[in-house]
Amino acid sequence: MPANIRREIGQLLIGSLPGTTIPPELRSLARDFQLGGVILFARNIEEPEQVAELSQDVQSLATETPLWVSVDQEGGRVARLRAPFTEWPPMATLGRSGDAVLAGRFAAALATELKAVGITLDYAPVLDIHTNPKNPVIGDRALAEDAATVGALGAAIIAGLQKNGVAACGKHFPGHGDTSTDSHLELPVVEHPPDRIRRVEFVPFRDAIRADVAFMMTAHVLVPSLDEEKPATLSPKVVRGLLRHELGYEGVILSDDLEMEALAKTYAPAESAVEAIAAGCDGVLVCRNTPALRANPTDRSRDIEVQVEVLEALVHAVEDGRIPYKRVEDALRRQRVAKERFLVSTRRSSANPSRPETPLAAVLGCDSHRRIADEMARFL
């Protein structure tokens, strides 16, 4: 085991920030652990120029490997970046249009705006199929009610994002579309046999793999026909057995937020982080976006402490053999490949002072992007 195991383990975490700047506690954490990246929420965002400055400041934490600056920017109700960024209609509009070209144009425009403020990873597209009208968490976030449409349009969004320099993340494997509870609040159960899941839910994920999606995000759902005991994020049968081996996915597998109540009612974030990495995830999200914190946004005292606890637990799990070091090596290799693909060239070009930069006002919410949003809105 290498002497720098702590810094290597840091690459497995994408954590959150309590406010609009980087606190001293996170800078201290970054000195001990080479962090994988950060995720931005509404609490981190004031205006485009501030987001761009924050993204640059995040990169200043890197000593060797650049960090992901990531966000949930799907469109519709899940959009952390609001006007003057283009405000996109929900993805169900693309499903009603059936237009893969429009989906690709949307994604290219979205990527252009994200890149303009230094965001390099978008947790989109949603690949869940809206097969349950009572689903409280997916709804119009889904592209469509049928697998083929979700797969085709999802692949177009992936291509549009990634050709324009933003890593895409398909979510939520093995499928969150046919649930009747919200995994932010409790653990949903998917009551389908394996043959149905392979025939329906897996279709968009297969299409995403063919589109070379950089990331896949796991779902905090229990699928008894696949694993009677463990939620998908913590299940080697689901993560390693199905996504990695059966579907042949070679990119980065990332957990959904470990503090969602679907897991947090049973597992502490540090405990679920160990199980997720052991199960085959290559990274974990710790978002500090719990219902209690949303109700009392000023109580951010534990934000960095939870991330420290997660990283220390992962280090200890490698040291005592609960996570084989070969599992960490595999995760780090996949992370490195993705960062070389999307971040290394960006870092080099951004370090070139002669490179002209387009003013944000000329990109965000520009006429051409608004026209795309208007085309999508015709299908509301």
Side-chain angles (χ1 to χ4, degrees), residues 73-146:
Q73 191 74 359
E74 300 172 10
R77 57 195 161 99
V78 179
R80 314 305 183 196
L81 305 168
R82 299 291 182 174
F85 294 87
T86 302
E87 298 206 24
W88 304 101
M91 291 300 96
T93 60
L94 289 173
R96 296 186 192 106
S97 77
D99 189 341
V101 174
L102 178 59
R105 289 169 56 213
F106 148 72
L110 171 59
T112 300
E113 297 198 5
L114 295 177
K115 286 277 285 185
V117 293
I119 293 172
T120 49
L121 167 58
D122 189 13
Y123 300 117
V126 169
L127 299 176
D128 305 308
I129 307 162
H130 188 38
T131 52
N132 186 344
K134 296 181 179 179
N135 192 317
V137 68
I138 300 301
D140 63 2
R141 297 169 63 194
L143 285 157
E145 298 173 1
D146 67 282

Side-chain angles (χ1 to χ4, degrees), residues 31-113:
R31 285 193 291 269
D32 292 334
F33 297 91
Q34 181 67 36
L35 297 178
V38 302
I39 178 171
L40 303 183
F41 288 90
R43 66 178 184 262
N44 308 123
I45 295 161
E46 291 177 336
E47 59 181 6
E49 289 77 13
Q50 171 265 330
V51 177
E53 290 175 6
L54 179 58
S55 297
Q56 286 188 326
D57 208 14
V58 166
Q59 295 303 345
S60 74
L61 300 176
T63 56
E64 300 171 13
T65 308
L67 284 75
W68 297 106
V69 181
S70 64
V71 73
D72 284 293
Q73 191 74 359
E74 300 172 10
R77 57 195 161 99
V78 179
R80 314 305 183 196
L81 305 168
R82 299 291 182 174
F85 294 87
T86 302
E87 298 206 24
W88 304 101
M91 291 300 96
T93 60
L94 289 173
R96 296 186 192 106
S97 77
D99 189 341
V101 174
L102 178 59
R105 289 169 56 213
F106 148 72
L110 171 59
T112 300
E113 297 198 5

